[in-house]
Amino acid sequence: MARSLCPGAWLRKPYYLQCDKYKTGVIDGPACNSLCVTETLYFGKCLSTKPNNQIYLGIWDNLPGVVKCQMEQALHLDFGTELEPRKEIVLFDKPTRGTTVQKFKEMVYSLFKAKLGDQGNLSELVNLILTVADGDKDGQVSLGEAKSAWALLQLNEFLLMVILQDKEHTPKLMGFCGDLYVMESVEYTSLYGISLPWVIELFIPSGFRRSMDQLFTPSWPRKAKIAIGLLEFVEDVFHGPYGNFLMCDTSAKNLGYNDKYDLKMVDMRKIVPETNLKELIKDRHCESDLDCVYGTDCRTSCDQSTMKCTSEVIQPNLAKACQLLKDYLLRGAPSEIREELEKQLYSCIALKVTANQMEMEHSLILNNLKTLLWKKISYTNDS
């Protein structure tokens, strides 16, 4: 059995469940043998505060990683409430014994069509998923591997890791077992250099916390490089190869960087397919715009004539990213570019999805910001 460095019975629950399923042949995956047999996948520091969504630092065959186990059903987006605890008897119920590979491909295709919309290249994504699902690389997808892949495909973060697997700012998927998956670890797990226990965070005023954050940041050229990485990630998810994804929790705690100050996403669970979000939020009953929010940042409006949420998200990803970067970049910015940088950041924050020629303006602002930052740091050691 995998070894946990965390105390507490519920912290050990995820891999007990996985190993029971693995040993009975229900699930399979590249991490299962290390998790359940050779015990070379170690659970370290627990990073989560809720038992239904467990995250650990870990070590797999001497490589550092982050272990995540979604202890809940993730078949739908929920607005304002916790998702229901997962039902063990149905989590790995698909595909059923006797399902052919072709039928499984059709299942995955239908799932992607519902999540991503009618993209012309969904068949390519289905083939990519089958390659990932073939954990032992024997050229075949077993029933256990298919059940694991199907459970994982309900999770937006897993899907996005597969879609953006070749992109610089997306953490690499190391392996999985059932709906437990291991991704590469990131040296610095916030834009800011100080992390406090969540209990202490509750008692710190937000204004004072922001002041603390600004004191514990890298040098300005390094912040600029990290910011460029975030802008590039926004490009990756904005009309990417399989449609647009919406960043619904653009906060510093979801972003990190490595020792070269390259941005790495730490938590992508609230980055959701636009088609999926629109379908789920439209016609939702509302009293005000406050009822039409997913995560913290994906907001639509409440149509007062019908008392239903509209489907169009108001603020694009780039505007949210610029809002996050404003204080981060302006503090300590070189005097010769500060005025222009501030001007561009505020223009970026003002972007609206409904604006005429939004896509052209989006591209122009994004490219101008990247150019301004690169010009300033391109000849420094921090670039």
Side-chain angles (χ1 to χ4, degrees):
M1 190 68 66
R3 303 175 191 175
S4 173
L5 305 181
C6 278
W10 69 263
L11 297 178
R12 295 190 292 271
K13 188 178 179 183
Y15 58 80
Y16 282 138
L17 296 173
Q18 306 299 324
C19 291
D20 286 345
K21 301 290 187 184
Y22 172 60
K23 290 178 178 179
T24 55
V26 175
I27 62 172
D28 202 352
C32 288
N33 189 65
S34 298
L35 184 73
C36 307
V37 181
T38 63
E39 299 185 10
T40 52
L41 175 54
Y42 294 84
F43 286 61
K45 179 181 178 182
C46 182
L47 304 178
S48 50
T49 59
K50 296 179 180 179
N52 64 345
N53 184 26
Q54 299 186 28
I55 306 172
Y56 305 83
L57 292 180
I59 299 175
W60 184 11
D61 290 337
N62 297 318
L63 294 175
V66 175
V67 184
K68 295 189 176 185
C69 186
Q70 192 85 2
M71 302 287 289
E72 61 192 23
Q73 279 190 298
L75 303 181
H76 64 283
L77 297 175
D78 195 9
F79 295 82
T81 60
E82 291 294 325
L83 295 174
E84 296 178 358
R86 73 178 183 178
K87 300 176 178 62
E88 284 299 323
I89 57 171
V90 300
L91 178 61
F92 300 114
D93 64 334
K94 294 180 181 179
T96 56
R97 188 171 298 279
T99 301
T100 64
V101 172
Q102 181 58 38
K103 178 62 177 176
F104 181 58
K105 290 174 71 173
E106 292 171 4
M107 288 171 56
V108 175
Y109 185 93
S110 296
L111 175 67
F112 288 164
K113 189 172 182 180
K115 275 180 169 281
L116 305 173
D118 197 7
Q119 307 290 328
N121 53 354
L122 288 184
S123 296
E124 296 175 13
L125 182 56
V126 172
N127 290 332
L128 178 59
I129 290 299
L130 261 65
T131 301
V132 173
D134 180 17
D136 56 10
K137 305 305 177 190
D138 64 352
Q140 297 179 331
V141 178
S142 68
L143 181 61
E145 289 171 334
K147 285 179 179 291
S148 293
W150 182 258
L152 287 165
L153 287 175
Q154 315 306 317
L155 309 178
N156 290 314
E157 181 172 64
F158 181 85
L159 176 59
L160 199 57
M161 274 196 294
V162 173
I163 289 176
L164 301 179
Q165 62 179 344
D166 296 326
K167 299 297 184 180
E168 178 184 0
H169 307 296
T170 305
K172 304 304 179 189
L173 176 68
M174 298 171 64
F176 59 88
C177 180
D179 65 341
L180 177 151
Y181 57 101
V182 187
M183 54 197 284
E184 72 170 315
S185 63
V186 179
E187 287 87 340
Y188 303 94
T189 55
S190 176
L191 284 186
Y192 303 102
I194 185 169
S195 178
L196 298 173
W198 66 273
V199 176
I200 297 177
E201 292 274 13
L202 292 175
F203 297 97
I204 298 178
S206 58
F208 182 65
R209 178 55 168 153
R210 284 194 295 271
S211 299
M212 286 178 58
D213 286 340
Q214 296 301 333
L215 291 174
F216 294 91
T217 57
S219 65
W220 190 87
R222 289 170 172 170
K223 288 194 294 184
K225 186 179 182 184
I226 294 167
I228 290 169
L230 178 55
L231 297 175
E232 289 174 344
F233 181 77
V234 169
E235 286 183 292
D236 291 340
V237 298
F238 181 70
H239 294 322
Y242 303 105
N244 190 22
F245 282 73
L246 300 174
M247 300 170 68
C248 295
D249 186 0
T250 315
S251 57
K253 66 180 175 17
N254 293 333
L255 316 174
Y257 55 93
N258 60 22
D259 57 1
K260 296 180 180 178
Y261 298 93
D262 298 315
L263 177 108
K264 292 285 185 179
M265 299 302 297
V266 173
D267 189 338
M268 301 190 296
R269 288 173 297 164
K270 285 293 193 293
I271 302 178
V272 301
E274 181 178 32
T275 299
N276 197 197
L277 180 64
K278 283 185 172 182
E279 187 64 29
L280 289 163
I281 200 172
K282 74 175 185 179
D283 298 329
R284 177 180 171 82
H285 177 75
C286 59
E287 299 292 335
S288 71
D289 291 350
L290 296 176
D291 298 318
C292 303
V293 182
Y294 175 68
T296 57
D297 296 323
C298 285
R299 304 170 182 274
T300 73
S301 57
C302 179
D303 186 339
Q304 293 297 316
S305 64
T306 62
M307 307 303 287
K308 302 286 186 181
C309 292
T310 60
S311 63
E312 200 67 49
V313 174
I314 296 169
Q315 196 176 34
N317 293 334
L318 182 58
K320 304 168 198 172
C322 288
Q323 181 68 56
L324 175 64
L325 291 174
K326 178 173 68 69
D327 292 340
Y328 190 71
L329 283 176
L330 290 179
R331 182 181 176 88
S335 57
E336 61 270 24
I337 69 163
R338 194 183 194 286
E339 183 178 350
E340 178 61 23
L341 178 60
E342 185 173 23
K343 177 182 175 182
Q344 290 195 22
L345 285 169
Y346 276 105
S347 295
C348 177
I349 293 169
L351 278 173
K352 300 292 183 185
V353 169
T354 54
N356 292 332
Q357 299 181 318
M358 190 278 292
E359 290 194 23
M360 183 182 300
E361 191 176 0
H362 180 286
S363 298
L364 182 63
I365 289 176
L366 191 149
N367 289 330
N368 285 345
L369 266 173
K370 285 173 59 179
T371 300
L372 180 65
L373 296 173
W374 267 126
K375 279 185 176 179
K376 192 59 190 173
I377 69 171
S378 57
Y379 299 108
T380 69
N381 293 331
D382 296 310
S383 63

